[in-house]
Amino acid sequence: MSPHPARRRVAVIGTGAIVGGSHLPALSAHADRAELVAAVDVDQARLDAFRELAGPSGSQVAGYTSVDAMLDAVRPDLVLVGTPPSLHREQTVAALKAGAWVLCEKPLCLSLAEYDEIAAAEEASGGYASVVFQHRYGSGAVHARELITGGELGAPLVAHCQTTWHRDAAYYAVPWRGTWASEGGGPTMGHGIHQYDLLLHLLGPWTEIRAMAARLVHDTESEDVSTALVRFANGALATVVNSVLSPQEVSRIRVDCTDATVELTHLYGHRNEDWVYTPAPHVPATRADAWRTPSADVPSSHTAQLGAVLDAQDAGVRPPGSGPDARATLEFAAALYKSAFTGRPVHAGEIGPGDPYYAAMHGDHPHWAPTEERA
């Protein structure tokens, strides 16, 4: 038998709520495979509080207020990025150049142009950058994808993807929220992206998007609601709704296939019990019984995705949630914005260098691009 891989030396960039509340527990769950050795934050008080939160081992976590200083001194194997979105591209590229792999909070970057910079850094370094799309990794999602892609539920026909959440004015009072330069977009980029990433994971490539977007309530540069009609390569049609205006919050995916409907209803994470399979009338009960979710119940979580990244790093292969997978989800967002702002359908693959929506999600549209007053 080959020796067990050494524990990966891990650094975190950003020590806010998402790192302390999600990445730190994930690291603890994989303590036999990963060791937190460094943390970076420009706020010294927040950095100190995080090291204390890390528990007894926190005193052994080196603290830095500079990303470059940390990378030069520590040379970690894996870097977890949990900073505001506008910093993701620069910090991910820096970590790749330093020889680390990266697991970055969504969105991985703010445009397809920035993504291609990250892809070039991957190519040059031999490392990989994954984006946190933890809803792909729960056992229920793995099981549903196997059934759909394997044809067990019949051909996918109709789908619905819903992220209807609520965010108030206080949420957008945080300086880096609500602007194109800091977030790259509204709920299409920052909220619904988790759900439609899972939809793409279940149904595969899309071919056409027709979309609408609006700024109905919040005084932000970007939208606060968007909707889309989507055609997939397999022929399925879907609706996608991304909202931060909805008092009754829910996250939902429904896929109607020829032999069954599969539904997922949750809010910020799912377990096996959140997935429901309804057989078509012609399907015998014995066949439907085989669709039951697996006995092992792995919640969708940062813990599950970190495990997948560590598995890939041990094997020396591209991790899930990186490369073409990550780009496809970002391209979906860019296409949704382009369709919504131009009023025209957008086809997969049409947004490339020279297209204004390649450089920025607002595409320099006169009614949506940042104004001098807001910039």
Side-chain angles (χ1 to χ4, degrees):
M1 294 179 62
S2 60
H4 190 279
R7 293 172 76 197
R8 301 294 174 181
R9 300 170 66 257
V10 182
V12 298
I13 301 177
T15 60
I18 193 65
V19 175
S22 297
H23 287 283
L24 191 57
L27 287 167
S28 297
H30 293 287
D32 61 326
R33 307 176 64 192
E35 176 187 10
L36 180 62
V37 296
V40 182
D41 203 300
V42 295
D43 185 321
Q44 185 66 53
R46 190 165 55 212
L47 177 60
D48 293 341
F50 173 80
R51 294 173 71 196
E52 184 175 346
L53 180 65
S57 62
S59 60
Q60 300 173 15
V61 176
Y64 295 86
T65 55
S66 162
V67 171
D68 289 340
M70 183 277 290
L71 293 172
D72 287 342
V74 177
R75 295 289 168 175
D77 301 308
L78 176 64
V79 172
L80 310 180
V81 178
T83 51
S86 61
L87 302 174
H88 289 178
R89 190 269 312 161
E90 178 183 357
Q91 293 170 344
T92 295
V93 169
L96 288 168
K97 288 182 176 179
W101 285 26
V102 179
L103 177 58
C104 178
E105 280 298 321
K106 55 77 186 166
L108 180 59
C109 52
L110 302 188
S111 68
L112 289 169
E114 285 195 354
Y115 178 85
D116 288 345
E117 290 183 46
I118 292 173
E122 282 188 332
E123 181 69 21
S125 69
Y128 298 110
S130 298
V131 59
V132 174
F133 284 135
Q134 70 271 24
H135 294 328
R136 290 184 176 202
Y137 298 89
S139 52
V142 171
H143 183 63
R145 185 172 189 268
E146 289 175 348
L147 292 176
I148 292 172
T149 60
E152 294 299 322
L153 306 182
L157 303 172
V158 183
H160 176 67
C161 177
Q162 174 185 352
T163 303
T164 41
W165 294 357
H166 190 269
R167 298 294 183 266
D168 58 15
Y171 176 85
Y172 285 104
V174 175
W176 59 265
R177 289 184 177 142
T179 68
W180 294 106
S182 59
E183 283 196 293
T188 306
M189 276 285 275
H191 303 84
I193 194 168
H194 277 299
Q195 257 16 255
Y196 63 72
D197 172 75
L198 180 55
L199 183 71
L200 297 176
H201 188 56
L202 295 174
L203 293 185
W206 60 275
T207 60
E208 180 183 357
I209 297 179
R210 299 170 183 256
M212 300 177 72
R215 190 188 299 116
L216 299 181
V217 173
H218 295 293
D219 183 21
T220 57
E221 289 182 348
S222 51
E223 85 290 356
D224 52 19
V225 61
S226 69
T227 63
L229 302 177
V230 187
R231 189 186 306 276
F232 284 83
N234 59 19
L237 298 180
T239 62
V240 175
V241 179
N242 308 297
S243 167
V244 288
L245 308 178
S246 308
Q248 183 186 21
E249 296 188 299
V250 69
S251 305
R252 179 177 293 123
I253 286 180
R254 170 176 170 147
V255 180
D256 296 320
C257 302
T258 52
D259 293 344
T261 293
V262 55
E263 295 176 273
L264 167 66
T265 305
H266 66 118
L267 188 54
Y268 299 136
H270 55 78
R271 307 186 72 100
N272 286 353
E273 64 187 16
D274 300 316
W275 294 82
V276 176
Y277 294 85
T278 303
H282 66 270
V283 173
T286 52
R287 181 180 170 198
D289 286 344
W291 300 337
R292 295 183 186 275
T293 50
S295 57
D297 190 359
V298 179
S300 64
S301 64
H302 286 65
T303 298
Q305 183 166 2
L306 178 59
V309 171
L310 291 171
D311 288 345
Q313 198 165 22
D314 289 346
V317 299
R318 176 175 286 283
S322 67
D325 274 354
R327 197 182 194 284
T329 301
L330 197 66
E331 183 191 8
F332 185 93
L336 193 157
Y337 280 122
K338 182 177 181 179
S339 177
F341 296 168
T342 64
R344 300 194 303 269
V346 175
H347 295 88
E350 79 171 57
I351 301 177
D355 188 308
Y357 292 89
Y358 175 77
M361 293 292 171
H362 55 70
D364 286 328
H365 189 281
H367 296 148
W368 288 97
T371 63
E372 291 184 5
E373 290 78 12
R374 288 183 181 271

